[in-house]
Amino acid sequence: MSTARLARRTATVSFGVAAALVLAACANPDDGGTTDVAASGNTTTKINNSPDQNRVTTDKVDSIAAEVPEAIRERGTLKIVGSAESSAPLGFYATDNKTRIGVEIDLAYLVSNVLGLKPQYTPVSWENIFVGLDSGKYDVGFSNITDTEERKEKYDFASYRNDDLAFEAKKGSGLEVSDYKDVAGKTVAVDTGTNQEKILVEWSKQAEKAGLKPVDIKYYKASTDTYLALDSGRIDLFLGPNPTAAYHVASAGKTEIVGTYSGAGATLQGLIAATTKKNNGLVEPLADAINEIIDNGTYAKVLKRWGLSNEAVTKSEINPPGLPKTNS
């Protein structure tokens, strides 16, 4: 067992009011400005929200490209799918309201470079990511998808980023979340079909078993609706990906992060992974391509440009341990 694998197996939960990202004063990503992001210390990165991205690129690696299934090689394109939801800095629209930008898109394009394929990116609703992968309409999902044991029954994973979740509350709420007792009886919003929903549902069950009130779970179609509910007091908390929560805290200035949690539950560091239909022959070249960009330094450049350097992994693994079916 590798040291990295052992560390993930024995990882403990990390809580606190500080997010994994530290963001400085920002402009609204939709108003044509830029956003200053600091991953750690005093180093800041200015995020470019314009459609002219000047993306980091890398060269094709023939030996890895040769691993791609023949039908995809002959087609010459990598059909990439991601969520259409606006979730900066993961995936969102540039100031032209047409160009899709963010760390997920940049990494997907880099992998395409290594494989010698033209990236063909399609944003869809969350549930249609998996419908499209199931049908073969898309080759791979790059969309902050968490590796889970349940999902591994249908999909293969090539990990590329650590996964942490955050509880966001209205600024000055006085709330701190460290376990299920802190959300018992609270009204909490979460996106449907996500691993954070699974964790929240498990916490609600734990609360009831302990004689506490269950969590009042709310669902909204768009993040704008969620934040309006948070601002108005209709919900107490929103549980979502830590990068988007930290970005929103900085850009809106009305909320704060009151707790963080591993996306794989209490005993495992969560991992975000490139997701492909099980046994379609693509996961090996995907993992090799991710390891190539890690080794050649372009991976680090992309994470730095989006302020996510501290979510970096040292190696892509195929189907590593994920969120257990019964873990919370």
Side-chain angles (χ1 to χ4, degrees), residues 68-269:
V68 175
E70 184 177 359
I72 298 176
R73 290 203 314 271
E74 291 182 352
R75 189 178 68 211
T77 59
L78 185 65
K79 295 181 179 180
I80 304 157
V81 65
S83 172
E85 173 67 11
S86 184
S87 302
L90 301 174
F92 61 114
Y93 287 100
T95 51
D96 63 354
N97 292 317
K98 294 186 297 183
T99 305
R100 195 71 177 165
I101 63 175
V103 68
E104 300 292 78
I105 294 86
D106 278 6
L107 290 174
Y109 275 47
L110 267 184
V111 166
S112 299
N113 291 164
V114 175
L115 299 178
L117 299 170
K118 182 179 179 181
Q120 183 178 319
Y121 181 85
T122 304
V124 300
S125 62
W126 175 258
E127 64 274 11
N128 279 320
I129 292 174
F130 301 97
V131 172
L133 291 173
D134 291 345
S135 68
K137 184 177 183 179
Y138 309 114
D139 300 318
V140 59
F142 275 84
S143 193
N144 204 55
I145 301 170
T146 301
D147 166 32
T148 76
E149 293 304 309
E150 183 175 3
R151 287 173 180 163
K152 280 197 290 192
E153 293 177 356
K154 295 179 66 176
Y155 308 101
D156 284 322
F157 293 102
S159 58
Y160 62 85
R161 193 162 50 77
N162 284 330
D163 174 34
D164 290 305
L165 307 176
F167 287 91
E168 192 173 354
K170 194 172 182 179
K171 186 174 285 187
S173 69
L175 297 173
E176 289 189 22
V177 179
S178 61
D179 60 27
Y180 70 90
K181 296 185 290 293
D182 299 319
V183 294
K186 297 289 191 299
T187 303
V188 185
V190 71
D191 292 334
T192 186
T194 60
N195 73 304
Q196 52 261 33
E197 178 193 25
K198 177 180 174 63
I199 288 171
L200 191 61
V201 169
E202 289 294 329
W203 275 20
S204 185
K205 291 177 181 178
Q206 284 182 265
E208 286 192 275
K209 288 180 181 179
L212 302 172
K213 291 182 179 180
V215 181
D216 183 9
I217 302 175
K218 299 293 186 184
Y219 301 93
Y220 295 92
K221 290 184 177 180
S223 59
T224 50
D225 298 329
T226 301
Y227 287 126
L228 282 173
L230 193 61
D231 188 52
S232 67
R234 285 182 283 128
I235 60 174
D236 300 304
L237 295 158
F238 172 47
L239 175 60
N242 184 66
T244 58
Y247 193 102
H248 179 260
V249 165
S251 61
K254 296 181 179 180
T255 59
E256 60 186 354
I257 291 174
V258 296
T260 57
Y261 194 73
S262 167
T267 59
L268 194 68
Q269 171 59 56

Side-chain angles (χ1 to χ4, degrees), residues 9 19 26 53 57 113 121 132 201 211 228-229 247 259 301-302 313:
R9 284 187 181 276
C26 312
Q53 284 293 290
T57 61
N113 291 164
Y121 181 85
V201 169
L228 282 173
Y247 193 102
K301 288 180 181 178
V302 166
V313 296

